[in-house]
Amino acid sequence: EVQLAESGGGSVQAGGSLRLSCVASGSTYRSCMGWFRQAPGKPREGVAAIDGEEVDRTRYADSVKGRFTISLDNAKKTLYLQMNSLTPEDTALYYCAAKRGICWLPSLSVSDYDSWGLGTQVTVSS
């Protein structure tokens, strides 16, 4: 079983940047990895995903395209999410997730992932 631990969240003003990290431990072979977020009263949504074996294959939610960048350092077993031009609408608890099996397409669907971290809070003030 893989364990995932997020870090890097915090409070920033609109227009600011943050970089989230997610360290994987345990049985770390996974194919797709992704970042998700959940704001109070809203369902969890996919933000960005990456193919763990072909890291040029990425996918982003329309709401973050051009602002967020997902990357993976397999040597360090660490997933990153660089977030720029943050807005109050980006305020949420951010989760790292991993999926077993072949990554046919980096997925933004919650149901495709079987391992989750506990989350890191991102708060953006106007």
Side-chain angles (χ1 to χ4, degrees):
E1 188 66 29
V2 64
Q3 291 81 45
L4 302 171
E6 304 95 336
S7 63
S11 297
V12 296
Q13 291 191 327
S17 298
L18 285 172
R19 187 175 83 153
L20 306 183
S21 299
C22 171
V23 178
S25 60
S27 176
T28 56
Y29 175 72
R30 290 297 186 272
S31 56
C32 292
M33 295 193 72
W35 286 99
F36 294 76
R37 66 186 182 187
Q38 188 166 18
K42 294 187 178 181
R44 192 171 299 188
E45 64 174 357
V47 174
I50 190 168
D51 183 333
E53 296 186 349
E54 296 185 39
V55 296
D56 291 337
R57 298 180 70 214
T58 58
R59 186 175 181 185
Y60 295 91
D62 288 343
S63 59
V64 306
K65 280 181 182 177
R67 300 189 299 123
F68 290 11
T69 302
I70 189 171
S71 60
L72 177 64
D73 186 330
N74 275 310
K76 294 182 179 180
K77 299 181 179 179
T78 302
L79 181 73
Y80 300 98
L81 184 68
Q82 178 66 45
M83 305 186 296
N84 299 328
S85 302
L86 286 162
T87 73
E89 288 69 37
D90 296 315
T91 295
L93 188 60
Y94 283 71
Y95 297 91
C96 168
K99 173 186 181 298
R100 288 174 293 186
I102 297 173
C103 188
W104 297 109
L105 181 69
S107 172
L108 296 179
S109 175
V110 171
S111 61
D112 284 341
Y113 290 81
D114 47 65
S115 297
W116 294 85
L118 296 179
T120 185
Q121 178 68 37
V122 172
T123 302
V124 185
S125 58
S126 58

